[in-house]
Amino acid sequence: LQMPRVNLLIADDVGLGKTIEAGLILSELLLRRRIQRVLILTPASLRPQWHEEMWQKFSLGFDLVDRDKTDRLRRNLGMDANPWRTFSRIIASYHYLRQPDVLDQFMAASRTPDGSPHLPWDLLIVDECHNLMPSAFGDDSDLCKMLRILAPQFEHRLFLSATPHNGHTRCFTGLLEILDPVRFSQVNELRPA
């Protein structure tokens, strides 16, 4: 929490409370008024669990954004309504956000009209981040490409995974580079430095 930018990979084993650890960091950053706008990206099946955990354990309300929520928002507020601009705490599936039209909506909501140097979003939490890591060989997946586009829009980043290393150093260091490009770079082999 004393880091200027809280960019952390939480890599505890399954069932040890990565969600709770992320919630503790999130709630403390909110209490210190260091963040306001938060996006939690997770597999679709884990969205309700995150929603429930954030509410029950931290009294933090989040909006679940998906195609249905977006359609309802547009029926209520008009066709130009953008959930990424409307809500300040969002839980979404990364498979939903990687869709080109949805990613375009997100990026449109992330642009500041006045050219402000401040980033449009404060905290990105990515659960099961190993699903979005760079490829060891060939082109990166659409999920990884999406994460590379999204990550620079956020001041702080928390990546969560019980299996952050798949045996390929290039994948692992690529994930760390997305997490914090100032401290890490994607390499094929780890060096003592």
Side-chain angles (χ1 to χ4, degrees):
L1 291 171
Q2 294 177 5
M3 299 168 71
R5 285 197 170 120
V6 180
N7 293 334
L8 299 171
L9 171 65
I10 300 175
D12 289 337
D13 208 352
V14 175
L16 291 183
K18 291 181 291 297
T19 305
I20 303 304
E21 291 175 90
L24 288 168
I25 294 167
L26 162 62
S27 60
E28 188 62 30
L29 288 172
L30 284 167
L31 287 170
R32 294 179 184 198
R33 300 184 191 278
R34 290 182 61 190
I35 64 171
Q36 291 180 348
R37 299 189 73 206
V38 180
L39 174 61
I40 298 174
L41 285 180
T42 181
S45 61
L46 296 179
R47 289 177 316 132
Q49 176 187 332
W50 270 91
H51 190 262
E52 187 176 313
E53 295 274 331
M54 291 299 106
W55 179 249
Q56 288 184 348
K57 296 200 170 46
F58 303 101
S59 297
L60 294 174
F62 276 82
D63 289 284
L64 294 170
V65 172
D66 56 15
R67 187 73 62 188
D68 289 339
K69 179 86 168 197
T70 302
D71 290 343
R72 279 194 310 265
L73 181 71
R74 288 188 173 151
R75 277 194 302 272
N76 292 335
L77 300 179
M79 286 307 293
D80 290 338
N82 186 328
W84 312 106
R85 190 175 285 124
T86 304
F87 306 116
S88 62
R89 290 190 213 145
I90 296 174
I91 298 173
S93 158
Y94 38 69
H95 288 285
Y96 172 66
L97 188 51
R98 79 156 179 197
Q99 298 172 46
D101 64 317
V102 178
L103 187 55
D104 287 346
Q105 288 174 357
F106 178 87
M107 293 308 292
S110 298
R111 290 187 197 96
T112 54
D114 61 354
S116 168
H118 299 289
L119 293 174
W121 289 84
D122 298 311
L123 175 62
L124 172 65
I125 299 174
V126 182
D127 194 14
E128 306 288 338
C129 67
H130 55 272
N131 294 323
L132 291 80
M133 78 173 34
S135 173
F137 311 102
D139 292 337
D140 290 337
S141 69
D142 288 344
L143 289 174
C144 179
K145 290 174 184 173
M146 175 209 58
L147 186 59
R148 286 188 190 279
I149 293 168
L150 289 183
Q153 307 303 315
F154 293 82
E155 186 78 24
H156 309 283
R157 301 174 199 125
L158 296 177
F159 288 4
L160 287 59
S161 175
T163 54
H165 201 302
N166 63 1
H168 297 282
T169 300
R170 182 169 179 73
C171 298
F172 179 65
T173 58
L175 185 64
L176 292 177
E177 181 182 53
I178 296 169
L179 175 68
D180 192 339
V182 173
R183 291 192 297 164
F184 302 105
S185 59
Q186 188 172 16
V187 295
N188 292 324
E189 202 173 297
L190 291 176
R191 296 179 302 275

